[in-house]
């Protein structure tokens, strides 16, 4: 595939992911904190990346769709720059313990959700990804 077309596909995915992120953060933060909203979109993004990675590995989804969904959509959706800013705000206001819990939850649960996304698609054949 032409790299210019691939770039447009990724940009479109990022545009949609960023829009979805904005809406998710807006609605989640109405009821919960901004940090919880960031956590939620990070976990959803990690789960989607796990599913898409497994589907591309199985050749159920093309590499182009994989790029659109992972690099594009999830790249626009997930918010690790906001994640770092949220940590700084927590630490600045003296909530270092909460900042550490926030970091651990994002890292551990994010990795777990990638695994769960892959397992959701591959089940017992999950080990085949690493062969």
């Amino acid at each position: 595939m032409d790299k210019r077309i691939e770039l447009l596909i990724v940009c479109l995915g990022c545009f949609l992911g960023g829009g979805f992120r904005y809406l998710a953060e807006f609605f989640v933060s109405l009821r919960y904190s901004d940090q919880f909203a960031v956590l939620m979109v990070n976990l959803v993004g990690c789960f989607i990346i796990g599913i898409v990675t497994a589907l591309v590995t199985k050749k159920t989804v093309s590499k182009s769709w994989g790029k659109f969904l992972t690099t594009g959509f999830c790249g626009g959706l997930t918010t690790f720059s906001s994640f770092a800013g949220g940590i700084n705000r927590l630490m600045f206001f003296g909530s270092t313990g909460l900042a550490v819990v926030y970091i651990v939850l994002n890292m551990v649960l994010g990795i777990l959700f990638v695994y769960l996304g892959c397992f959701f698609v591959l089940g017992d054949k999950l080990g085949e990804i690493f062969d």
Side-chain angles (χ1 to χ4, degrees), residues 21 25 38-39 41-43 45-46 49 74-87 102-103 106-107 110-111:
R21 169 187 160 188
E25 285 184 354
V38 171
L39 173 64
V41 295
N42 282 339
L43 295 178
C46 288
I49 285 173
C74 289
L77 172 66
T78 58
T79 55
F80 278 92
S81 59
S82 296
F83 168 71
I87 291 165
Y102 185 59
I103 291 166
N106 270 277
M107 293 296 125
I111 292 165

Side-chain angles (χ1 to χ4, degrees), residues 46-66:
C46 288
F47 188 69
I48 291 170
I49 285 173
I51 289 173
V52 173
T53 298
L55 291 172
V56 169
T57 300
K58 286 179 60 173
K59 296 183 170 68
T60 306
V61 169
S62 71
K63 288 184 180 182
S64 296
W65 273 106

